[in-house]
Amino acid sequence: MAAEHATNDQVVCIKELCDESERLAEAGEDYSAADTAFHNAIAESSGNLVVPRLMGVLKASVPLFIDVTGKKLVEETIRTHRDVADAIASRNPTAAHDAMYLHLVYNRNMIAEGTQEQSE
């Protein structure tokens, strides 16, 4: 929805937050605030009134997820965030959906893997 509804200013903001997350992650710094802001910017630009209200859950989960996965998904997160931001900027909702779907699948798989390792 963001690919279809984001204003030009919102697209610029999404791209800047993606850049900031990437810069911090590559420097080995805490990028959770920038990551959360990136997701919030996408939610707000979607034009959907419900999605931004759900972002509190994401805000609480991003730092926890980074800790739980042992930062194993940093490169994948950077790549999928870039794919999402680029798709939104190019106004391609199918590519944005696919990139976000892959992002969620990678995260889900990492959580499942971590849960399985903890139970063994």
Side-chain angles (χ1 to χ4, degrees):
M1 291 177 70
E4 295 176 318
H5 299 287
T7 66
N8 290 336
D9 288 344
Q10 288 172 320
V11 170
V12 168
C13 179
I14 289 167
K15 296 283 276 182
E16 288 174 351
L17 289 167
C18 184
D19 292 344
E20 179 69 3
S21 294
E22 184 173 349
R23 184 190 67 74
L24 291 169
E26 288 177 346
E29 297 179 33
D30 180 8
Y31 64 95
S32 60
D35 183 289
T36 301
F38 171 75
H39 286 271
N40 277 332
I42 292 170
E44 289 175 10
S45 68
S46 72
N48 184 313
L49 298 176
V50 175
V51 173
R53 294 179 184 179
L54 300 174
M55 296 313 292
V57 174
L58 181 73
K59 183 178 182 178
S61 66
V62 167
L64 178 64
F65 182 74
I66 291 169
D67 287 342
V68 167
T69 63
K71 301 179 184 176
K72 292 178 186 176
L73 276 179
V74 173
E75 288 181 33
E76 204 59 58
T77 297
I78 290 169
R79 187 182 65 72
T80 55
H81 279 189
R82 176 68 51 207
D83 291 345
V84 169
D86 289 347
I88 291 170
S90 67
R91 308 295 186 177
N92 186 334
T94 301
H97 172 272
D98 292 349
M100 185 55 79
Y101 180 78
L102 285 175
H103 182 48
L104 294 171
V105 168
Y106 291 131
N107 289 346
R108 182 188 67 207
N109 289 345
M110 186 58 65
I111 290 169
E113 186 178 298
T115 303
Q116 187 176 34
E117 287 174 5
Q118 289 177 352
S119 67
E120 293 176 347

